[in-house]
């Protein structure tokens, strides 16, 4: 699961990383040109769009983000074993914020290590989802 999450975020961060490189060419204290700022802003939007497409739309329709596809994992509803839909997948990712904030130690993300169903403390338990290995 962690590997899939890292793959997903690395893919989404490529355009944003390129935006950082674009700004690294300016001298400290120098204001970047309006054109460079616009290009950087657009690259950040592309990163956000890639993340939303991959983590919400793609994962919601098929149960697999690109990272989950690579690692043969599938996100499904516990009730029927089907993908949860884009909106619910997006909401689940927002709930992961709680998984990361609890005690600032990411306890929610570590919860699958001892949980019988391998669910995160908030996102999976609230959304009633599980991540299954298909390999």
């Amino acid at each position: 699961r962690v590997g899939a999450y890292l793959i997903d975020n690395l893919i989404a961060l490529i355009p944003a990383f390129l935006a950082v490189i674009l700004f690294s060419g300016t001298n400290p204290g120098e204001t970047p040109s309006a054109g460079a700022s616009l290009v950087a802003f657009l690259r950040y939007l592309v990163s956000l769009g890639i993340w939303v497409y991959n983590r919400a739309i793609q994962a919601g329709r098929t149960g697999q983000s690109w990272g989950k596809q690579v690692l043969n994992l599938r996100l499904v509803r516990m009730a029927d074993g089907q993908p949860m839909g884009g909106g619910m997948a997006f909401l689940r990712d927002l709930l992961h914020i709680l998984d990361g904030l609890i005690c600032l130690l990411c306890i929610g993300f570590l919860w699958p290590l001892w949980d019988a169903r391998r669910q995160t403390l908030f996102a999976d338990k609230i959304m009633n989802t599980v991540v299954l290995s298909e390999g």
Side-chain angles (χ1 to χ4, degrees):
R1 291 177 70 155
V2 172
Y5 185 79
L6 291 174
I7 291 168
D8 290 340
N9 285 306
L10 287 174
I11 291 170
L13 286 175
I14 290 171
F17 178 72
L18 293 174
V20 170
I21 290 173
L22 178 68
F23 278 116
S24 68
T26 61
N27 293 325
E30 180 182 341
T31 304
S33 70
S37 297
L38 177 62
V39 169
F41 176 73
L42 292 175
R43 288 180 187 215
Y44 284 116
L45 282 181
V46 168
S47 283
L48 178 63
I50 289 170
W51 183 85
V52 168
Y53 173 78
N54 182 40
R55 299 279 304 171
I57 297 169
Q58 177 78 8
R61 285 184 189 158
T62 66
Q64 291 183 304
S65 63
W66 295 322
K68 284 183 178 66
Q69 286 176 359
V70 168
L71 297 176
N72 293 317
L73 300 173
R74 185 172 304 274
L75 170 66
V76 296
R77 293 184 303 236
M78 284 181 47
D80 59 8
Q82 296 299 308
M84 60 191 314
M88 298 303 276
F90 182 75
L91 180 58
R92 179 181 176 271
D93 266 2
L94 290 179
L95 286 169
H96 274 313
I97 294 169
L98 293 175
D99 286 322
L101 288 179
I102 186 91
C103 300
L104 297 176
L105 297 174
C106 299
I107 298 297
F109 283 120
L110 296 174
W111 205 262
L113 294 173
W114 54 80
D115 185 77
R117 292 184 178 144
R118 302 284 185 232
Q119 292 177 298
T120 58
L121 181 58
F122 292 104
D124 287 325
K125 292 204 179 287
I126 290 171
M127 300 303 295
N128 210 15
T129 57
V130 291
V131 175
L132 305 173
S133 175
E134 297 186 323

